Amino acid sequence: MEELKEKQKKYTDVYSAINNLPDELITHEIWMAGIEEGNLKMLNILTDKYKTEENINKVIQKSEEKGGYYGFNLLNIPVDTRSQRICDTAFKKDSSNYRHVPQDKRTTEMLYGLLVAASNYIHFLPLVPAHCWDQKAVYDGVRSLYSAHSSSNRSHNWNELRMIQVLLYYVPAEVKTADFFIGLFQSSMKVTDIDFLIPARFKTREYYLAMARKKITAVPIEKLDHYLLTQAMLSDKNDESDFWGNWQNKNTEVKNLMFELMDDRMVDIILQRWPEKLRDLPQKYHTKKRLLVALAACKNGERASNVYSFFDVSKFDTDICKVIIKHQEYNCPKFAPEIWTPDFIGYCMENATQYRWFSSMPKELQTQEIVDIVIEDSIYNIKDVRDDLITYDIAVKAYLVIDDWNGKRKLDEYVPSHYLSDFVMETGLPKEFFGAETTYCDLKDNHRKYTYLAIGDCYVGFYADKDGYNTYNRLIMTRRTPMQIKPSIVFNRTIGTFHKTWLEKMVSDNDPQFSKPEIQKGMKGKQLNLYMGVRLLETFNDVKIYAHSFLSETVCYTAGYIECNTLQEAKEAITEATNTEDQAKEVDVAC
């Protein structure tokens, strides 16, 4: 009951009550209740009697504990009561209170708070004591006033610069040092705007060095020397076009001076930044040493060929060739034949495993071991393999690569013709079936084009035939007889529908030699269909395994409801089913 009463108590806003009561009705107890409430707005309505430092600190303390967000007007607090804590709280809640903070209570932290939104409080700058200023505060103010994105609006940009000039006017001279102005180059300000703000007396060599590192083209040409140029090259803030020009202006003052002052040190830096510029350097720098430096500097995505393409590649020695090989570019150059030693080929195999160099290696140096590794990486490398090293397995793998877009074979032209002619002679099937031998179950159930089944002395193939806009599924069957070298076609018929026994029925209806198998006593219920034979093969884990034959050849196995292509698959399926059943029994027992 007491808890219910407590919940039904109405929340009392003491500050609002006092603010709306006549003064003669506000008692001491009510004033103290308002102070205890911890609403900072109470400090705006307290009478002088209650504006003691103790009461004010109590309100602040209670407010901090409750997390209130209201502020108060510091002008309502007696000057002699405005302690550092009271002033800090007043400023934190409302930055406009800064003008009422006593001179000795104004801090650098308050100045930071003002300059975060400098344009709103720039009229307070005359009130800031000199000891509050430091470089961070000024940088914050400059960053707040300056917007690089508005530089396209000239009048807007000039307004910002004038505001920054006002800010700098109030900054003490001891803060506005040469180091301070040079530090502006680390901001987002445009170099031309920084140059506008900096007094002439600070435009020293150190200043122009900082400018060169940010924007080399902004430095007056007469101020540039070898050191400034090289330092600017080392800075990632300068672009290639700043030194080398662009398609509109290729011969810039900076470029001309660069070539005038060029030495080994500068060349090394150039090649580290822009390795492809080796071709534009004077002829005396077109050396092996410089080429290796440039190639080593090529990063991911940069074409090393842009660096060496103007050289005579046939004159490259092994050192240069190894570096080129490691870049693994698509178009590997044709090195001199003497480069391709066993050691160099071994280096390529170990360090360039995308094998893009393979097409450049002389074909007479190919070995079966190398070819097998290269083909394992990508069958498309068959394009560069010597014919006598293309094995049957490689030929099959290549022949079966089909273009997903148009359904055509992509690599059939690289398959040696003797593999195809031998296949046709062996099976009697068209060459399109080459390499696509499959199982009885796959041929019957999946209907993949140009797949075939070898069964006894017969070959049965499935394919699709087009007649204009129409596509027909067809089944072809060939058979070899003792008197024939090449099997002859038994039938080649269009498939009507894919019913449960479509394959067996088509063979039965169209093969004159087909006869339905005789079934042993007790086996009739085990047949998959009337066209297939069946026999009990063995019992495994108390499960009977049956072998099913078609055209007198075993084509699949069953064990209960399980049907598999091989005996091993059947046994594995039985084992898995048995284990699952045992686990289920264990669960039942546990329950």
Side-chain angles (χ1 to χ4, degrees), residues 380-392:
Y380 289 90
N381 287 324
I382 193 176
K383 298 175 182 179
D384 302 301
V385 176
R386 213 169 64 225
D387 280 358
D388 62 305
L389 296 178
I390 298 178
T391 63
Y392 176 81

Side-chain angles (χ1 to χ4, degrees), residues 333-490:
K334 298 290 184 181
F335 303 135
E338 58 268 18
I339 292 295
W340 294 97
T341 63
D343 288 342
F344 182 76
I345 295 174
Y347 177 88
C348 295
M349 294 290 290
E350 184 176 346
N351 295 278
T353 53
Q354 293 181 13
Y355 307 109
R356 292 170 180 167
W357 49 266
F358 182 70
S359 60
S360 298
M361 183 178 76
K363 287 192 174 184
E364 62 269 17
L365 298 179
Q366 294 180 6
T367 65
Q368 193 63 62
E369 180 184 5
I370 293 175
V371 168
D372 290 344
I373 294 172
V374 169
I375 290 296
E376 180 66 26
D377 177 72
S378 173
I379 187 58
Y380 289 90
N381 287 324
I382 193 176
K383 298 175 182 179
D384 302 301
V385 176
R386 213 169 64 225
D387 280 358
D388 62 305
L389 296 178
I390 298 178
T391 63
Y392 176 81
D393 289 338
I394 294 176
V396 168
K397 188 176 181 180
Y399 195 75
L400 295 180
V401 176
I402 305 295
D403 192 320
D404 294 333
W405 179 256
N406 56 30
K408 294 182 179 180
R409 301 185 187 276
K410 300 175 73 173
L411 299 174
D412 56 333
E413 62 181 296
Y414 303 104
V415 175
S417 58
H418 67 85
Y419 285 122
L420 300 177
S421 58
D422 290 349
F423 171 80
V424 172
M425 184 61 65
E426 178 185 352
T427 65
L429 296 173
K431 67 177 182 179
E432 286 78 11
F433 285 93
F434 175 72
E437 183 175 358
T438 187
T439 63
Y440 162 81
C441 293
D442 180 65
L443 183 74
K444 181 179 178 180
D445 298 335
N446 295 327
H447 317 145
R448 293 187 295 115
K449 291 192 299 183
Y450 287 108
T451 55
Y452 73 95
L453 168 69
I455 180 168
D457 57 0
C458 298
Y459 298 90
V460 181
F462 174 90
Y463 70 103
D465 188 23
K466 276 194 173 185
D467 180 9
Y469 292 103
N470 299 316
T471 300
Y472 301 96
N473 295 315
R474 298 181 68 87
L475 192 71
I476 183 173
M477 178 176 175
T478 63
R479 175 179 283 118
R480 176 185 288 108
T481 64
M483 302 301 294
Q484 292 177 309
I485 298 177
K486 176 183 176 181
S488 58
I489 295 178
V490 178

Side-chain angles (χ1 to χ4, degrees), residues 456-564:
D457 57 0
C458 298
Y459 298 90
V460 181
F462 174 90
Y463 70 103
D465 188 23
K466 276 194 173 185
D467 180 9
Y469 292 103
N470 299 316
T471 300
Y472 301 96
N473 295 315
R474 298 181 68 87
L475 192 71
I476 183 173
M477 178 176 175
T478 63
R479 175 179 283 118
R480 176 185 288 108
T481 64
M483 302 301 294
Q484 292 177 309
I485 298 177
K486 176 183 176 181
S488 58
I489 295 178
V490 178
F491 67 85
N492 186 355
R493 299 285 186 182
T494 300
I495 301 170
T497 58
F498 292 109
H499 52 82
K500 188 175 181 180
T501 60
W502 71 269
L503 173 61
E504 298 85 357
K505 180 168 175 49
M506 282 200 70
V507 173
S508 172
D509 291 348
N510 295 284
D511 179 11
Q513 297 186 24
F514 182 85
S515 59
K516 291 183 180 179
E518 294 183 4
I519 306 303
Q520 297 176 1
K521 186 177 181 180
M523 290 287 106
K524 285 190 176 182
K526 305 301 180 183
Q527 277 183 285
L528 292 178
N529 55 60
L530 296 176
Y531 305 100
M532 299 180 68
V534 62
R535 61 188 175 90
L536 177 62
L537 186 64
E538 63 175 277
T539 300
F540 181 76
N541 284 359
D542 296 328
V543 178
K544 293 180 179 179
I545 299 177
Y546 295 91
H548 300 268
S549 59
F550 184 61
L551 295 175
S552 302
E553 292 287 329
T554 299
V555 291
C556 64
Y557 302 82
T558 60
Y561 62 88
I562 301 170
E563 182 176 341
C564 301

